[in-house]
Amino acid sequence: MKNKLSALIGFALLTLAIPAGVQAQTAPDLTTTDLATINRTQTYNLGPTGMRGWIFCTNLNNNVGDFGTMTGQSPWQILVTAVGTGTPASGIMAIDDVILGASAGAGAVPLFTNDSRKSLGWAIGAAEASATGVLKIKRWRAGVSTDVSLQMGMSNMAYSATAPYDCPKSALILSNAINKLPASFNMGNPGNPVLGLAMMASGNTNFNASVQTYARSIAPSSLSLNPNACDTWGWGYMNVFLSEYYLKTGDTNVLSGITKYTVNLAKAQSKYGTFGHGGAEQHADGSFHGSISWYGPVNSAGLVGNLGIAMGKKVIVATGGALDAEIDPALDRGSKFFGYYVGKGSIPYGEHEPLTGSHSSNGKDYMTAFMFAMQGNRPVETEYYTRMTVAGYNGREAGHTGQGFSYLWSTLAANIGGTNAVATYLAQVRWHLDLERRSDGSFVYDGS
């Protein structure tokens, strides 16, 4: 009886552990399905072809914690749901066409035989590397399959083995994308600090005035912060941006603000080195660093909070300022908490066990690599999380609330490991980055 009870309990726990969105499903054959029945609320950018498409999957943008990914099922097909005017696909492809295969080079286009997204992404790269710049697609339309050709916007443009470094194609993609940055500014936190960083990193001096105006607006001399009202997401990303801004420009107008963000983040940190969406409670005697109540630690927010402290310290030290007594103990607490996971697994959501079975944690491993690297005295922790980043290419599309932080931090963190590390990482995800690229040079975010 005891063994039967144990088996039943085990089965129940396994059943509860299976996310609702990942039960086995059967992909429809789009060539024999009434296409009007397809739910098109979630579609995917199909690279610089000018098309978007619906792709059957068992788990797209499903909120299943840090595990799960977008996986398809045979038959491998893509339903075209949009075609942009003036794009390579315009006049050749149409809504409700079905893409059955894609390739570059001579000969008939073979059918997709595995993940259609990856296959299309790799085919786009091959077409842009060819002398003709032609992407061939096996198009199904109203019962007839035809091989058609799309003239891509690039030819003779292959990624170098060291991409993104010493790579003309990477440089061209970057140049085209940079021109789209200003249109996205003024989107709030954490978007504005991130775009501000990108605009600075671009080296385009046309952005200087906008970046300066934004930096001074979030760090005025009159800035007043209260650790009891900590906005971890806002303060963390803003201080990372402000610190980089000062180190690049030397604009002393923001120094006071950087110090205030740094000190107040340190005061708002919990006794364990973590943050929630906000800061920790104060103790009964009014001292700082109590526990995080109501919701608990949120490591995605807390890591950038700790990174904000580390970056702020760099500025204060660089300018010969006096370090507040809160700063170094805060960095020590945060380093002890996140350092605990070294050699054990990935960073979890909060104060939980290490994540195992994956090298990806919705960007948290990548952010941890940065937090340790910016301190400059944590080589073991920095190397561990950088290696986790490079190995995490297969889980970058999974994440609680969406994949945005994974996309944002992954390549940057891989770069901490050097040019070979980042080139190795990008070689694994290039198909995906190329699918996110549009024909006008911009990128889209297809995630929840």
Side-chain angles (χ1 to χ4, degrees), residues 16 70 75 80 104 144 157 195 204 209 229 321 329 363:
L16 290 172
M70 176 175 173
V80 177
V144 179
M157 296 292 284
L195 287 171
N204 189 329

Side-chain angles (χ1 to χ4, degrees), residues 48-322:
T49 65
M51 295 183 288
R52 289 190 68 85
W54 179 89
I55 306 169
F56 175 83
C57 59
T58 57
N59 183 19
L60 172 60
N61 304 333
N62 196 26
N63 187 4
V64 294
D66 291 295
F67 300 101
T69 187
M70 176 175 173
T71 56
Q73 297 283 343
S74 177
W76 309 99
Q77 301 168 344
I78 303 173
L79 174 64
V80 177
T81 59
V83 180
T85 303
T87 65
S90 180
I92 301 171
M93 302 295 293
I95 294 173
D96 284 346
D97 284 350
V98 177
I99 300 175
L100 302 178
S103 65
V109 179
L111 296 174
F112 292 133
T113 56
N114 53 33
D115 190 323
S116 54
R117 289 188 314 146
K118 288 186 178 181
S119 299
L120 178 59
W122 289 123
I124 288 171
E128 292 178 333
S130 71
T132 61
V134 171
L135 173 68
K136 297 175 67 178
I137 285 177
K138 186 172 290 294
R139 181 192 70 191
W140 180 92
R141 177 183 293 175
V144 179
S145 295
T146 308
D147 287 356
V148 298
S149 298
L150 307 187
Q151 182 63 57
M152 306 304 289
M154 295 184 188
S155 60
N156 285 315
M157 296 292 284
Y159 290 103
S160 72
T162 56
Y165 297 107
D166 300 319
C167 178
K169 181 172 183 177
S170 297
L172 178 60
I173 291 172
L174 176 62
S175 176
N176 291 337
I178 284 170
N179 295 327
K180 303 297 179 180
L181 287 174
S184 300
F185 215 32
N186 299 316
M187 65 187 302
N189 288 321
N192 269 349
V194 169
L195 287 171
L197 287 166
M199 292 164 79
M200 282 193 295
S202 73
N204 189 329
T205 57
N206 293 333
F207 300 150
N208 288 357
S210 297
V211 172
Q212 181 188 81
T213 298
Y214 173 64
R216 293 181 178 181
S217 74
I218 62 174
S221 58
S222 59
L223 179 68
S224 178
L225 299 175
N226 181 350
N228 292 321
C230 173
D231 170 15
T232 311
W233 294 101
W235 293 6
Y237 277 95
M238 286 192 287
N239 210 38
V240 170
F241 162 76
L242 286 169
S243 299
E244 289 280 20
Y245 170 76
Y246 173 77
L247 292 171
K248 182 175 178 64
T249 68
D251 185 357
T252 57
N253 288 280
V254 300
L255 282 177
S256 174
I258 291 172
T259 299
K260 291 174 182 177
Y261 281 117
T262 305
V263 172
N264 282 280
L265 277 167
K267 289 179 177 179
Q269 187 195 61
S270 81
K271 58 184 176 182
Y272 302 117
T274 57
F275 291 82
H277 291 300
E281 294 179 334
Q282 289 181 231
H283 295 289
D285 63 1
S287 60
F288 299 112
H289 315 304
S291 296
I292 297 172
S293 63
W294 78 268
Y295 191 88
V298 181
N299 288 336
S300 190
L303 279 162
V304 80
N306 281 307
L307 177 58
I309 298 171
M311 293 299 297
K313 177 183 175 179
K314 289 175 74 73
V315 171
I316 295 169
V317 170
T319 56

